[in-house]
Amino acid sequence: MTELRPDVDIIQEDHAGSVILYRQRNGAEAELYTAPMPCTAETLKHAMQRVQDMNGRSRVNIRYVEASQMPEVARAGFTLHAREEESIMDADKVRALDGSEFKRVRREISKVSSQPGTLCRDYQPEDEAACLDVLARWRERLKQAGLPIEGNRLTKDCLRHAPDWPREVIRGRVCEVDGEIRGFTFAGPISPDCGNLFVGISDTDIRGLAYLIRHDQVMEWPGLRFFNHGGDAGRSGLNALKDAFRPIDKAPVYRAVFS
């Protein structure tokens, strides 16, 4: 996903067990930032009506549609257009990390796990300030390297609102190293058997932390067979990290238009 500008608002709504995100820029026409998570006929119909009411017209755009959401979105009458590709992991294999194919992931995780006080735990509201500090340092590092920066506003909204969301819909995790929060993730199911890593931010000074926080989230969802690891945002380092988890597929991401 691309960085959200300061003049863009993300409006979050909970409906029928799903999280719905609306995007609106400077009070202009609203759109769905993503399809509802999880996406059902009921929640999609509700979200479409909400956008139509906000805009006063029938047209509805969905900025990001995952491959698993496509059937429901298409049934609702949307036209889909390819946007990018995302990595799909075999969740059971990632949880086990067996064999030579996951040697790099095991090695990277062991680097951070051997440091004193390394602990992954559930995100709490009082963790927001520390996570915002991690986010700020992460953004500055990418900025200095001239690399693209992903959804700042979306991440901040997630940190603010996630404690109010049901744990079966989205779950936040933080990783402490020597008693200090140095990384965090948010993930949840987007279909009955597929999860999605919505946010993954870590201190780049700590080797292996980016691997640990991703593996930790997959471990949190033992009932899911697959996990959407997202795209690489045009960053070669992020692409290499995601390839180390041995994706079994590259799923296209779509935008959708209904009118």
Side-chain angles (χ1 to χ4, degrees), residues 152-169:
N152 184 52
R153 180 71 65 86
L154 178 64
T155 302
K156 288 182 176 180
D157 285 346
C158 196
L159 289 168
R160 184 177 305 114
H161 297 296
D164 301 325
W165 296 336
R167 292 188 80 250
E168 64 270 19
V169 172

Side-chain angles (χ1 to χ4, degrees), residues 1-2 4 8-15 17-25 29-39 43-44 46-48 50-51 54-55 60-66 69 78 151-162 165 169-170 186 190 196-199:
M1 296 182 180
T2 55
L4 293 180
V8 172
D9 291 322
I10 295 294
I11 305 166
Q12 175 256 323
E13 179 184 25
D14 300 331
H15 179 77
S18 293
V19 175
I20 306 173
L21 299 176
Y22 305 91
R23 180 185 186 273
Q24 191 168 32
R25 180 177 175 185
E29 286 196 352
E31 64 180 354
L32 281 165
Y33 193 72
T34 66
M37 303 172 289
C39 185
T43 56
L44 184 56
H46 170 86
M48 291 172 62
R50 176 84 183 271
V51 170
M54 292 169 72
N55 295 339
V60 179
N61 292 338
I62 308 178
R63 198 170 183 83
Y64 294 97
V65 179
E66 306 284 354
Q69 299 167 326
F78 284 87
N152 184 52
R153 180 71 65 86
L154 178 64
T155 302
K156 288 182 176 180
D157 285 346
C158 196
L159 289 168
R160 184 177 305 114
H161 297 296
W165 296 336
V169 172
I170 189 167
F186 287 92
I190 53 175
N196 191 76
L197 184 71
F198 301 116
V199 175

